[in-house]
């Protein structure tokens, strides 16, 4: 066994089960329920935003979530296997073509929104040619009879 295999075997007990985490994709709007300890009290705070990046693997898996608060962008990086994360809920899926959505940092207004993912949607129906009116050539009528 090399070093990597030894480390992975030690860390495998600390990983969260696959059933605890939903299937996350870049562009999803998610709720991260994060435990906060203040003195002897513990509470859960919800951070809702767009998943813009995922990196690492195993115990080092991290997600970056971005949201807008009072016209200021706020990003938080969460370790997925942290015991501080109570749960993660997927609010909505978006259709993206990038692995990292860092370009959203420069966007404002409506261009900041992501397109909804269309699950099971079919292509737009094509207009039927039979239902369209047939085109006829107009013939000019002459008013003079000879």
């Amino acid at each position: 066994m090399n070093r990597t295999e030894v480390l992975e075997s030690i860390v495998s007990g600390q990983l969260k089960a696959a059933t605890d985490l939903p299937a996350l994709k870049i562009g999803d709007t998610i709720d991260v329920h994060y435990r906060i300890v203040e003195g002897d009290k513990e509470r859960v705070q919800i951070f809702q935003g767009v998943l813009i990046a995922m990196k690492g693997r195993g115990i080092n898996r991290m997600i970056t979530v971005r949201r807008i608060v009072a016209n200021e962008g706020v990003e938080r990086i969460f370790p997925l296997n942290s015991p501080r994360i109570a749960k993660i809920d997927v609010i909505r899926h978006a259709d993206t073509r990038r692995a990292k959505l860092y370009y959203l940092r420069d966007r404002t207004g409506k261009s900041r929104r992501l397109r909804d993912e269309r699950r099971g949607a079919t292509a737009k129906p094509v207009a039927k040619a039979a239902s369209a009116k047939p085109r006829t050539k107009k013939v000019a009528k002459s008013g003079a009879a000879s």
Side-chain angles (χ1 to χ4, degrees):
M1 289 174 78
N2 60 15
R3 288 184 198 171
T4 307
E5 292 172 349
V6 171
L7 282 173
E8 286 179 359
S9 66
I10 293 171
V11 168
S12 64
Q14 299 174 0
L15 292 176
K16 286 189 177 182
T19 57
D20 292 345
L21 297 173
L24 298 174
K25 287 177 36 181
I26 301 297
D28 289 351
T29 301
I30 60 174
D31 276 350
V32 179
H33 297 256
Y34 198 71
R35 289 189 186 101
I36 295 177
V37 178
E38 296 172 337
D40 57 345
K41 295 180 184 178
E42 182 177 303
R43 64 185 177 91
V44 175
Q45 186 175 30
I46 300 173
F47 189 88
Q48 182 177 9
V50 176
L51 181 64
I52 64 168
M54 293 175 73
K55 58 187 171 185
R57 68 179 196 140
I59 197 76
N60 298 324
R61 193 100 175 127
M62 304 280 203
I63 58 171
T64 304
V65 182
R66 179 179 177 82
R67 75 174 186 182
I68 307 300
V69 179
N71 288 334
E72 287 293 324
V74 177
E75 288 183 10
R76 278 190 78 173
I77 300 172
F78 296 100
L80 268 185
N81 292 295
S82 171
R84 297 263 185 223
I85 293 183
K87 69 177 181 175
I88 297 177
D89 294 328
V90 177
I91 304 301
R92 124 191 206 296
H93 295 284
D95 186 24
T96 59
R97 297 184 181 190
R98 303 281 181 272
K100 305 279 192 273
L101 301 182
Y102 295 140
Y103 67 89
L104 291 179
R105 293 172 176 166
D106 300 329
R107 299 280 177 101
T108 58
K110 286 187 177 182
S111 66
R112 185 186 304 143
R113 293 186 302 185
L114 295 172
R115 189 174 51 192
D116 273 340
E117 184 176 300
R118 308 269 190 260
R119 292 186 181 252
T122 58
K124 291 182 180 178
V126 180
K128 296 180 182 177
S131 64
K133 284 186 175 180
R135 290 187 169 186
T136 57
K137 191 173 184 180
K138 292 186 178 182
V139 180
K141 295 181 181 179
S142 62
S146 41

